[in-house]
Amino acid sequence: MNQFEKRAAMALASIFSLRMLGLFMIYPVFTFYSKQLTGSTPVLVGLALGAYGLTQALLQIPLGFASDRFGRKHIIAGGLVILAIGSVVAALSTSIYGVIFGRILQGSGAVGSTILALNADLTREETRTKAMAMIGISIGLAFAVAMVVGPLISGWVGVPGIFWFTALLSLLGLFVLYGATPEPKAARSHRDAEAVPALFKRVLSNGELLRLDFAIFILHTILTASFIVLPRLLHNVGGVHEDYQWVVYLPVLAVSVAAMLPVIIVAEAKRQMKPVFVGSIAALLVSQIILTFYHASLVELIVMMVVFFTAFNVMEATLPSLISKVAPADAKGTALGVYSSAQFFGIFVGGAVGGWAYSMGGYSGVFGFCALAALVWLFVAATMPKPRFARTYMVHVGDVNDDEARRLAGEIEAIEGVFEAVVVPDDGVAYIKYDGKVVDTEAFTPFGTQHAAAAS
């Protein structure tokens, strides 16, 4: 990556993480604050926690399409303003219904796909994956920081203060957008980074991709449902005051990240993705079963939280990688768009059903629901085929017609180690899926150079 691309990726990663930090911070503290809200019930508390996921799921792909027409930065700025407005509404609300409305507004600023599209506008094909990885890492860090900072801010200025802080972060995101993010030369469609309407049918009929969409849906359903009861358990059973629960979350997350790293190395470097994937689901299932029947001590809670978050972190890291491996070469952006929508819909369902499960069965009701969801997921995952270890690479080939595109794709596919090659004349790009242990990207360079030179 050159300096221009590094600057662009860092700025966009900052905007993404600022958004998500504010949305995540209420997870560990909202159940306590909800007791002060008029009309609060377990079901409505769950809805308030997950409501933003519904509007995120429904709007992020349409807003990505809108950015093609109205401009990336305009759509991102509008989304940040809506997030700020929703945060202010939630901060000023004294009823659970007002907070739910505020959370729905927060989710309406669904500009994640637009940020990725702008990232694609600002990076070359061969460096784009690195830039997207920087954004992905920033989201994971935002979640970890939110688990620690949320209780700290709540203890200082209360949960309304968290909503005000979220609004401030949104405005800070506007500053980064217009003060630090470079201007793209032009906005165009990028099949590796954004959804393409013509490819939805292809993606939604792919059983392997649907299996992975189901996986991220269940993972975030379980995560959101868990936060309806985990803070209460830490307080009521573990004796940890709500303002000091960060003392638990910090070491738990640190240990889980440390435990995750060797597992990811085994999955990728040793090509043991399916055993790691299925094993992580099994670990998550075991943690939920144990918590369903036994949650009487702080030590037990902490141990099960470490198991849960280790499995969660492994999944968060491996699922996007699996999407990239499984998706057709020219449909990665569309596959990731559907995947992300499934993730946010899981957040909504986890809050709604988790709240209902708590009203029906208390702690055991929620963990029992999570265990059942994990069990279904385990059966679905156990039947998945072993994923091929394909990497994706893009080469700018310049202006080619349909016949030249087909010939070029055939030449690339003839290289040993290449699984698939698609050349899209409208994009002037060859999308290649290959085995990195068999062929190096150097083998693709002549195709780009040759056709770029011919076009000039």
Side-chain angles (χ1 to χ4, degrees):
M1 294 175 68
N2 58 38
Q3 290 302 314
F4 178 87
E5 290 169 326
K6 289 178 181 178
R7 173 189 165 197
M10 291 178 65
L12 293 174
S14 298
I15 295 170
F16 217 125
S17 58
L18 287 171
R19 290 174 60 248
M20 301 313 296
L21 177 62
L23 291 169
F24 286 145
M25 279 194 297
I26 74 161
Y27 272 51
V29 295
F30 186 71
T31 55
F32 302 112
Y33 173 67
S34 64
K35 298 174 184 178
Q36 307 172 27
L37 298 172
T38 304
S40 179
T41 67
V43 174
L44 293 177
V45 169
L47 280 173
L49 200 61
Y52 81 95
L54 180 61
T55 40
Q56 285 271 354
L58 293 175
L59 294 177
Q60 67 158 346
I61 291 178
L63 287 177
F65 293 152
S67 73
D68 292 334
R69 179 176 180 182
F70 300 108
R72 313 288 194 213
K73 286 194 173 183
H74 293 316
I75 295 297
I76 295 171
L80 291 171
V81 170
I82 291 173
L83 173 58
I85 293 172
S87 302
V88 171
V89 169
L92 295 175
S93 296
T94 58
S95 76
I96 191 68
Y97 298 102
V99 172
I100 291 173
F101 179 61
R103 292 284 280 173
I104 289 173
L105 281 177
Q106 284 184 318
S108 299
V111 294
S113 61
T114 307
I115 292 174
L116 295 180
L118 180 56
N119 173 69
D121 289 337
L122 295 168
T123 53
R124 292 166 293 159
E125 288 85 357
E126 58 267 30
T127 60
R128 192 167 300 149
T129 300
K130 294 179 181 178
M132 291 182 69
M134 289 177 64
I135 294 174
I137 291 170
S138 74
I139 299 171
L141 288 174
F143 177 79
V145 171
M147 293 302 100
V148 175
V149 173
L152 286 171
I153 295 179
S154 176
W156 179 32
V157 291
V159 172
I162 291 180
F163 287 125
W164 284 112
F165 187 56
T166 303
L168 179 62
L169 291 176
S170 304
L171 298 180
L172 181 58
L174 283 174
F175 174 78
V176 175
L177 179 66
Y178 288 109
T181 308
E183 287 289 339
K185 293 180 180 179
R188 59 186 180 88
S189 178
H190 306 273
R191 293 181 178 224
D192 62 306
E194 56 184 309
V196 177
L199 297 176
F200 275 116
K201 183 177 179 181
R202 189 176 172 195
V203 166
L204 292 173
S205 62
N206 187 311
E208 291 184 64
L209 287 175
L210 290 177
R211 200 189 304 265
L212 298 176
D213 295 334
F214 180 74
I216 196 65
F217 166 79
I218 293 295
L219 182 64
H220 280 265
T221 294
I222 293 173
L223 175 71
T224 309
S226 297
F227 272 99
I228 293 173
V229 292
L230 273 179
R232 287 187 172 105
L233 273 173
L234 288 173
H235 183 274
N236 297 336
V237 173
V240 183
H241 189 272
E242 60 194 81
D243 296 342
Y244 299 100
Q245 291 190 359
W246 66 270
V247 177
V248 174
Y249 291 120
L250 181 59
V252 164
L253 290 171
V255 171
S256 65
V257 169
M260 170 199 73
L261 294 176
V263 177
I264 296 299
I265 291 172
V266 169
E268 292 285 357
K270 303 298 183 181
R271 301 202 167 190
Q272 297 297 314
M273 184 65 78
K274 183 176 178 180
V276 166
F277 187 78
V278 175
S280 296
I281 300 171
L284 193 151
L285 172 61
V286 168
S287 72
Q288 300 306 298
I289 291 175
I290 291 176
L291 286 171
T292 299
F293 298 103
Y294 307 101
H295 42 253
S297 74
L298 180 60
V299 172
E300 175 196 331
L301 284 175
I302 290 175
V303 171
M304 288 302 102
M305 286 173 67
V306 169
V307 173
F308 172 79
F309 280 110
T310 299
F312 176 83
N313 288 333
V314 170
M315 288 297 172
E316 281 286 283
T318 57
L319 278 168
S321 175
L322 282 169
I323 288 285
S324 297
K325 290 175 171 60
V326 170
D330 60 333
K332 178 182 173 183
T334 306
L336 286 172
V338 174
Y339 166 89
S340 184
S341 294
Q343 171 184 335
F344 283 115
F345 190 57
I347 290 171
F348 169 70
V349 171
V353 179
W356 171 81
Y358 183 72
S359 70
M360 299 298 292
Y363 303 138
S364 295
V366 175
F367 290 125
F369 160 69
C370 293
L372 179 61
L375 181 63
V376 173
W377 182 14
L378 183 62
F379 280 118
V380 172
T383 59
M384 70 183 285
K386 185 178 180 180
R388 63 186 185 185
F389 278 77
R391 297 180 181 179
T392 302
Y393 191 74
M394 289 163 286
V395 177
H396 186 73
V397 299
D399 294 329
V400 295
N401 58 37
D402 291 342
D403 290 337
E404 290 172 327
R406 283 191 290 270
R407 177 181 59 79
L408 183 57
E411 292 177 6
I412 297 173
E413 287 184 340
I415 299 173
E416 183 181 2
V418 173
F419 299 121
E420 180 186 8
V422 178
V423 179
V424 182
D426 291 343
D427 296 351
V429 173
Y431 299 90
I432 306 166
K433 295 187 81 72
Y434 69 101
D435 187 331
K437 287 193 173 182
V438 178
V439 60
D440 190 82
T441 56
E442 295 280 335
F444 310 133
T445 303
F447 296 96
T449 305
Q450 169 188 329
H451 286 271
S456 63

